[in-house]
């Protein structure tokens, strides 16, 4: 049976590479993936799955219900691109100003490849397979939107798996962690309020630019003074927007930043410390601070049982040279929203080597040799879990 899967993947590969290149040439931003979603829905339909489109905006769900009782496995792939003008020299490079610079074109291809293969082997399975094609991962809104549209409550998955291809690991390496994979990612906005006035008469005004400077400095004490040295935390202020002229004291200043952590605990601690410090410092200087959390995602933390199952599955796939733990990466991914609702595993699939341009870079190119490996890991996981 396993050899037959390898052969089937090899047979499907030329068509999958063609699909991947077409997706790469036509990238679409989060919640605008209409062409992409149309292709996904069409192929799932052709494979004989029941398809629901427009789930949480532009999401697509394909269900293979075997009609026999058994567990439900959910496989999730993200489908959006980034607002990056592509500078790769690929013959199928995007020219529309957006780019699949994170490899989500590969994710779509691998999940679809597995869906098509498994639909053809429905008779060997018991239970339900649910393929989730999620929009808008890059600004971590798509998972929440699909969940609000009942993707979890409709299917109650027993396990949820997914992969992110990873350019900085050699093709043939599969990274599986038994706990944290990626960090939480939260954006915040602070409005620092003062009282506008003449730059020459500061005593008649309350200067929000000066208060902002104090707040920004004080925010750097959150990680250095409130979080244990062996825990990871980041507070970055990336935007300061305020003032209209050199001799005018503004009414308010807007500060925007990002918060990262590897555990839910530290995440909460940092969020509340940022709010407390901003308000405390601003008030001590006669101003005020309003704190708002914008979009965010929890850390991606694998279930150890599901992770060790995936480790075993991946280890049996020809072409996979090594399966092991990988460094926790301080990027965010809203796969966390799924894994927090069902035991799951998000694994990294090596797709190049450490010298390649990193994800989100305009010259990002991944190694297509990773594609059959991802298809086969998904397919074997499903055959193992639903094939018993
Ligand atoms: Zn990304
Ligand atoms: Zn990504």
């Amino acid at each position: 049976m396993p050899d037959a899967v390898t052969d089937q993947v090899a047979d499907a590969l030329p068509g999958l590479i063609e699909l991947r290149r077409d997706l790469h040439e036509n990238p679409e931003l989060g919640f605008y993936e209409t062409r992409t979603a149309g292709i996904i829905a069409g192929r799932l339909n052709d494979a004989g799955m029941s398809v629901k489109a427009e789930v949480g905006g532009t999401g697509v769900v394909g269900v293979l219900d075997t009609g026999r009782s058994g567990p439900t496995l959910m496989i999730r792939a993200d489908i959006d691109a980034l607002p990056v003008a592509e500078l790769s020299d690929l013959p199928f490079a995007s020219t529309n100003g957006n780019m699949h610079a994170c490899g989500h074109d590969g994710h779509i291809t691998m999940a679809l490849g597995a869906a098509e293969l498994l639909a053809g082997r429905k008779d060997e399975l018991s239970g339900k397979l649910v393929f989730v094609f999620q929009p808008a991962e890059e600004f971590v809104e798509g998972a929440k939107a699909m969940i609000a549209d009942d993707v979890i409550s409709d299917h109650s998955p027993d396990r949820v798996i997914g992969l992110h291809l990873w350019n900085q690991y050699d093709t043939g390496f599969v990274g599986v962690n038994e706990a944290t994979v990626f960090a939480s990612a939260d954006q915040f906005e602070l409005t620092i309020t003062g009282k506008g006035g003449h730059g020459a008469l500061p005593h008649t005004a309350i200067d929000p630019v000066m208060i902002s400077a104090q707040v920004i400095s004080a925010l750097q004490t959150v990680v250095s003074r409130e979080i244990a040295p062996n825990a990871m935390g980041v507070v970055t202020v990336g935007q300061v927007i305020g003032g209209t002229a050199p001799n005018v004291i503004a009414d308010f200043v807007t500060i925007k930043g990002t918060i990262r952590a590897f555990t839910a605990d530290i995440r909460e601690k940092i969020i509340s410390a940022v709010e407390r410090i901003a308000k405390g410092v601003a008030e001590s200087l006669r101003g005020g601070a309003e704190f708002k959390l914008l979009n965010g995602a929890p850390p991606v933390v694998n279930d150890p049982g599901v992770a060790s199952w995936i480790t075993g599955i991946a280890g049996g796939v020809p072409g996979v040279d090594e399966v092991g733990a990988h460094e926790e990466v301080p990027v965010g991914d809203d796969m966390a929203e799924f894994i927090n609702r069902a035991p799951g595993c998000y694994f990294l699939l090596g797709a190049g080597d450490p010298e390649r341009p990193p994800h989100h870079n305009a010259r990002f190119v991944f190694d297509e040799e990773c594609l059959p490996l991802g298809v086969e890991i998904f397919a074997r996981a499903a055959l193992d879990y639903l094939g018993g």
Side-chain angles (χ1 to χ4, degrees):
M1 185 275 280
D3 291 346
V5 177
T6 308
D7 292 344
Q8 271 187 287
V9 175
D11 289 346
L13 193 59
L16 292 175
I17 287 177
E18 204 178 309
L19 166 70
R20 181 262 155 164
R21 293 180 179 185
D22 176 69
L23 294 167
H24 191 87
E25 204 167 354
N26 297 281
E28 294 173 302
L29 297 180
F31 292 132
Y32 290 91
E33 310 96 327
T34 49
R35 178 185 185 274
T36 307
I39 290 170
I40 294 166
R43 287 184 76 129
L44 292 171
N45 243 321
D46 291 346
M49 293 206 172
S50 63
V51 179
K52 197 171 166 193
E54 296 180 13
V55 182
T58 38
V60 182
V61 180
V63 179
L64 187 70
D65 191 346
T66 64
R68 290 176 284 279
S69 70
T72 296
L73 177 66
M74 184 173 273
I75 296 178
R76 173 272 200 183
D78 45 9
I79 68 171
D80 56 323
L82 286 156
V84 171
E86 181 156 359
L87 294 176
S88 83
D89 48 13
L90 294 171
F92 49 93
S94 158
T95 53
N96 73 5
N98 300 320
M99 178 181 176
H100 270 298
C102 201
H104 300 183
D105 47 340
H107 301 172
I108 301 166
T109 303
M110 289 185 268
L112 265 180
E116 289 169 346
L117 187 152
L118 291 161
R121 301 178 72 136
K122 188 176 171 182
D123 292 347
E124 298 167 43
L125 306 171
S126 301
K128 213 164 67 164
L129 260 175
V130 182
F131 284 87
V132 173
F133 292 88
Q134 183 216 297
E137 182 281 323
E138 293 293 358
F139 46 92
V140 295
E141 290 290 349
K144 276 182 280 200
M146 290 192 87
I147 289 165
D149 218 351
D150 300 324
V151 73
I152 293 286
S153 53
D154 279 355
H155 300 291
S156 312
D158 296 291
R159 287 182 186 174
V160 53
I161 59 174
L163 67 80
H164 206 301
L165 59 81
W166 210 249
N167 244 27
Q168 270 59 59
Y169 290 130
D170 292 319
T171 307
F173 173 76
V174 180
V176 187
N177 280 0
E178 298 212 338
T180 299
V181 179
F182 287 161
S184 59
D186 292 286
Q187 292 196 18
F188 66 91
E189 181 181 301
L190 284 165
T191 308
I192 306 295
T193 52
K195 190 175 130 201
H198 198 296
L201 303 165
H203 59 292
T204 64
I206 298 170
D207 182 1
V209 170
M210 176 277 297
I211 296 172
S212 296
Q214 306 284 338
V215 166
I216 293 165
S217 296
L219 288 182
Q220 292 313 315
T221 65
V222 176
V223 172
S224 65
R225 303 290 87 185
E226 297 194 32
I227 303 301
N230 59 348
M232 192 285 279
V234 177
V235 177
T236 290
V237 171
Q239 271 183 304
V240 183
I241 309 146
T244 54
N247 60 347
V248 173
I249 291 173
D251 276 309
F252 67 92
V253 169
T254 304
I255 295 172
K256 292 184 188 183
T258 186
I259 294 169
R260 307 289 166 120
F262 278 146
T263 68
D265 220 39
I266 303 279
R267 178 194 189 202
E268 289 314 315
K269 242 182 160 162
I270 295 178
I271 290 172
S272 68
V274 166
E275 179 169 13
R276 187 193 74 240
I277 287 174
K279 286 189 166 157
V281 170
E283 278 161 25
S284 75
L285 298 167
R286 297 179 300 143
E290 280 164 37
F291 175 80
K292 226 176 7 186
L293 260 187
L294 305 175
N295 52 357
V300 179
V301 182
N302 283 343
D303 176 86
V306 181
S308 75
W309 170 62
I310 289 294
T311 297
I313 296 287
V317 170
V320 171
D321 311 316
E322 190 192 344
V323 187
H326 62 85
E327 263 181 39
E328 298 162 328
V329 192
V331 302
D333 193 308
D334 60 5
M335 176 67 170
E337 302 286 355
F338 291 97
I339 288 190
N340 279 357
R341 288 167 174 84
C345 176
Y346 202 39
F347 56 96
L348 299 188
L349 184 70
D353 57 64
E355 303 307 314
R356 290 201 179 216
H359 292 252
H360 292 202
N361 184 289
R363 290 185 170 79
F364 175 84
V365 175
F366 72 81
D367 177 8
E368 286 179 335
E369 299 287 319
C370 77
L371 295 174
L373 306 181
V375 177
E376 192 161 344
I377 294 170
F378 282 151
R380 285 190 192 223
L383 287 163
D384 183 69
Y385 192 46
L386 275 66

